[in-house]
Amino acid sequence: MSIADIFAESGHDDLLLPFQVNPFGLRGRLVRLNSAANTILSRHDYPEPVSLLLGEVMTIAVCLAGALKYEGVFSLQIKGDGPVRSMVADITSEGHLRGYAAFDRDAVEAAAADGDPTVPRLIGGGYIAFTVDQGADTERYQGIVPLSGQSLVECTHAYFRQSEQLETGLNVAVRKDEFGIWRAGALMLQRMPLDGGDAPAPGKARAVHDLEAHEDAWRTAVVMLSSATADELAGTRIAPDRLLYRLFHESGIVAYPAQPVAEKCRCSRERVETVLVSLSPEEVQDMTVDGLVSVTCEFCKSHWEYDEHALEKLRTHSSGN
């Protein structure tokens, strides 16, 4: 099936499109987040530098999740001691994406006014964590590395060099279009070890020309990946299949079925109430303001309020079960 056929069948404005660049099987993912990115970023009153950073975090999270086989939730979390204290994006194996940022608005605006909104300037010192959670009965996988780089792309490259020892190329773009719509996109390439990491057969050395061709194919692919513009990555003027064709058709490219991505939060009234009935009376009292306990989801801004009568009803119902 051609790339065009795959994309036509998917029909999704928000997607993850896996592909492979020949002849050495360089693995890649193309991500487009249009309505999903706009929905998430527009619902929060974030300063533009924070929206740009969170858009990158969400897009990189989708790229990385696409390289894994998991049933559950993949999370990318950044913690820092700068104006932006934390950012979180997670995506389920069903493609449900959400994200939020915690920050000091005045400090962000001051930092942005002083110069380019780099990672050291906005986030400061801290770490980036990648987590795969497949449920209570499985062990969580987590990789943590210090923030190292001027941009989140550089920090991601550092993670793969230090923790995965896997050569990775990444190009990410987040922007507002001429209509004020947030759009995001990314291309990621990863080079697998030659021969899948296996050593040559006994008595046989790997051919020098194979090694040279392997290196040349990687360098060429990274140059082409880097040539994709912000408008091509995070726009609508060129379809994903046409972008991949433009970049890699001379090397040869194979695409796989596109996976849809959608903005969807996992919060619910039931989850909130389960947490509330598990709290001690002292904890509930600490949350009470003017006779009400208020709960707001940081991701989607859904809001719930409970007075003492409603809380007592929850406790009675819970104890009755």
Side-chain angles (χ1 to χ4, degrees):
M1 183 181 291
S2 70
I3 302 174
D5 290 337
I6 289 171
F7 180 65
E9 282 192 3
S10 72
H12 295 288
D13 192 39
D14 300 87
L15 57 81
L16 166 70
L17 180 59
F19 63 92
Q20 180 172 301
V21 179
N22 294 321
F24 290 101
L26 307 179
R27 299 178 185 175
R29 272 87 62 197
L30 183 151
V31 171
R32 277 274 175 87
L33 300 178
N34 288 324
S35 60
N38 189 61
T39 298
I40 293 170
L41 296 178
S42 296
R43 72 159 55 105
H44 299 279
D45 184 24
Y46 291 152
E48 186 163 300
V50 176
S51 290
L52 290 169
L53 275 177
L54 181 57
E56 289 189 21
V57 170
M58 293 190 298
T59 309
I60 293 171
V62 177
C63 272
L64 298 181
L68 303 172
K69 292 182 179 179
Y70 69 100
E71 292 294 330
V73 182
F74 175 87
S75 301
L76 192 163
Q77 182 177 23
I78 294 174
K79 289 277 191 179
D81 56 11
V84 179
R85 298 186 299 275
S86 68
M87 291 186 293
V88 180
D90 63 43
I91 181 167
T92 69
S93 44
E94 290 80 24
H96 299 158
L97 175 68
R98 62 182 189 171
Y100 83 91
F103 59 94
D104 181 314
R105 183 177 293 273
D106 291 339
V108 166
E109 292 175 352
D114 287 342
D116 293 335
T118 60
V119 165
R121 188 181 296 276
L122 286 178
I123 303 175
Y127 65 84
I128 182 169
F130 306 88
T131 305
V132 179
D133 189 344
Q134 301 192 85
D137 298 329
T138 60
E139 185 176 351
R140 281 203 325 168
Y141 167 80
Q142 187 170 65
I144 301 177
V145 294
L147 289 169
S148 176
Q150 295 296 303
S151 68
L152 291 180
V153 169
E154 291 181 8
C155 294
T156 304
H157 284 154
Y159 166 77
F160 279 102
R161 284 195 304 269
Q162 296 173 30
S163 299
E164 304 293 334
Q165 280 137 26
L166 190 63
E167 289 190 85
T168 300
L170 179 62
N171 189 354
V172 179
V174 179
R175 66 187 187 89
K176 265 188 176 181
D177 67 14
E178 60 270 29
F179 304 106
I181 303 299
W182 283 106
R183 302 190 184 279
L187 271 170
M188 175 178 278
L189 274 178
Q190 292 182 311
R191 178 163 74 157
M192 302 299 109
L194 194 62
D195 296 335
D198 296 333
K204 291 187 177 181
R206 184 173 285 130
V208 173
H209 64 81
D210 284 347
L211 294 173
E212 292 176 348
H214 192 48
E215 290 294 331
D216 186 60
W218 173 246
R219 286 193 296 266
T220 300
V222 170
V223 168
M224 297 310 298
L225 174 145
S226 301
S227 74
T229 67
D231 186 57
E232 289 177 319
L233 291 173
T236 58
R237 291 186 176 89
I238 181 169
D241 60 307
R242 299 307 303 168
L243 176 56
L244 291 181
Y245 180 81
R246 180 185 82 73
L247 296 174
F248 303 116
H249 72 280
E250 291 186 0
S251 300
I253 183 169
V254 177
Y256 302 99
Q259 303 164 22
V261 178
E263 180 277 326
K264 187 173 182 180
C265 191
R266 299 193 306 279
C267 72
S268 68
R269 179 178 294 276
E270 291 74 18
R271 290 191 177 194
V272 169
E273 293 177 353
T274 297
V275 172
L276 287 177
V277 298
S278 71
L279 299 178
S280 67
E282 293 76 17
E283 290 172 320
V284 172
Q285 184 59 43
D286 289 341
M287 296 174 61
T288 302
V289 178
D290 295 332
L292 292 175
V293 171
S294 300
V295 180
T296 301
C297 175
E298 294 285 357
F299 288 97
C300 69
K301 295 302 181 184
S302 294
H303 184 77
W304 297 271
E305 289 186 344
Y306 299 86
D307 58 17
E308 179 55 37
H309 174 73
L311 290 171
E312 184 58 35
K313 187 175 180 180
L314 288 179
R315 297 189 197 101
T316 302
H317 178 73
S318 176
S319 60
N321 290 338

